[in-house]
Amino acid sequence: AQSVTQLGSHVSVSEGALVLLRCNYSSSVPPYLFWYVQYPNQGLQLLLKYTSAATLVKGINGFEAEFKKSETSFHLTKPSAHMSDAAEYFCAVSEKSSGDKLTFGTGTRLAVRP
Amino acid sequence: NAGVTQTPKFQVLKTGQSMTLQCAQDMNHEYMSWYRQDPGMGLRLIHYSVGAGITDQGEVPNGYNVSRSTTEDFPLRLLSAAPSQTSVYFCASSGTGRGQYFGPGTRLTVT
């Protein structure tokens, strides 16, 4: 069975500050890991995904995530927060690189202060 | 491409009523799925399909039925709605190895 744990249901940063959203996974097989973003009253949009090609993955909107097998982590970062980054972020795991049958974390809501 | 479309956007049902949530995609994706989103619980997989005529249960299938007669459509049926089914429902599809594409969601309230 696979699962992900997102530490911190709410994170608040100042505009221009570093964004760090934490995700730890549990998987009995090599995992495929994903980060999705959800803006208010919208569906989910894929930010980035790890499929074993490279441990540092760059995504859209300046976000990136690093896969660390020894720590079973896949934390999402962005060097400088923008007001438009305010949203809810979900980490998810799948047994397939295509992202079928995703198991989601409970989400982290990011607030950006002016 | 319209991507993944869902109808209706909002729905209010009384306990015991039935309804169908519609989902369609125009990307020729083989894989489609339904999730429900509840506060503090993330998204949970209800049912999924790997192609026309093939469906399977996800994590929380009870109270829901699905069928897949065409590649494009994947409706979700609630046979007898219960207040516990109040949620936001998302349909998703994938087929290009680029992760799942999500629809805009249907907000369902059961009174």
Side-chain angles (χ1 to χ4, degrees):
Chain A
Q2 298 181 306
S3 65
V4 291
T5 301
Q6 292 184 244
L7 298 175
S9 58
H10 291 82
V11 170
S12 181
V13 301
S14 297
E15 191 172 18
L18 171 72
V19 175
L20 171 61
L21 304 182
R22 299 178 187 273
C23 173
N24 288 88
Y25 70 90
S26 173
S27 178
S28 57
V29 298
Y32 296 100
L33 294 158
F34 302 79
W35 275 100
Y36 281 85
V37 60
Q38 184 181 33
Y39 298 103
N41 299 314
Q42 294 188 25
L44 278 72
Q45 179 182 2
L46 181 65
L47 273 179
L48 50 81
K49 68 174 187 176
Y50 166 74
T51 57
S52 77
T55 57
L56 182 62
V57 183
K58 294 188 185 297
I60 62 172
N61 301 340
F63 284 94
E64 62 182 37
E66 186 172 9
F67 174 73
K68 292 186 177 180
K69 185 176 179 181
S70 60
E71 299 177 8
T72 61
S73 68
F74 190 56
H75 302 330
L76 182 71
T77 60
K78 182 174 180 178
S80 177
H82 192 273
M83 296 297 291
S84 61
D85 294 327
E88 190 156 21
Y89 293 80
F90 292 94
C91 183
V93 64
S94 172
E95 293 183 358
K96 295 188 175 184
S97 64
S98 58
D100 297 351
K101 291 186 68 177
L102 289 166
T103 298
F104 283 88
T106 52
T108 297
R109 188 170 297 278
L110 176 66
V112 182
R113 305 184 301 269
Chain B
N1 284 352
V4 180
T5 58
Q6 292 184 236
T7 56
K9 284 191 168 60
F10 301 94
Q11 183 71 49
V12 179
L13 290 178
K14 293 186 191 298
T15 297
Q17 288 184 317
S18 63
M19 79 159 296
T20 299
L21 308 185
Q22 301 292 345
C23 173
Q25 53 92 7
D26 61 358
M27 297 172 282
N28 202 32
H29 286 168
E30 290 297 322
Y31 182 87
M32 296 186 73
S33 55
W34 278 101
Y35 293 87
R36 59 177 288 172
Q37 182 178 25
D38 302 292
M41 302 187 74
L43 282 79
R44 292 177 292 168
L45 182 63
I46 304 171
H47 284 286
Y48 66 97
S49 169
V50 298
I54 306 169
T55 63
D56 206 347
Q57 296 180 349
E59 181 186 353
V60 288
N62 292 342
Y64 307 95
N65 276 359
V66 292
S67 60
R68 183 97 178 268
S69 55
T70 67
T71 299
E72 295 77 20
D73 300 298
F74 190 44
L76 179 72
R77 280 182 285 276
L78 284 71
L79 299 179
S80 179
S84 61
Q85 294 178 303
T86 293
S87 187
V88 182
Y89 291 85
F90 289 99
C91 179
S93 73
S94 66
T96 60
R98 296 176 64 183
Q100 293 194 44
Y101 291 81
F102 282 80
T106 294
R107 189 173 295 272
L108 175 68
T109 301
V110 183
T111 61

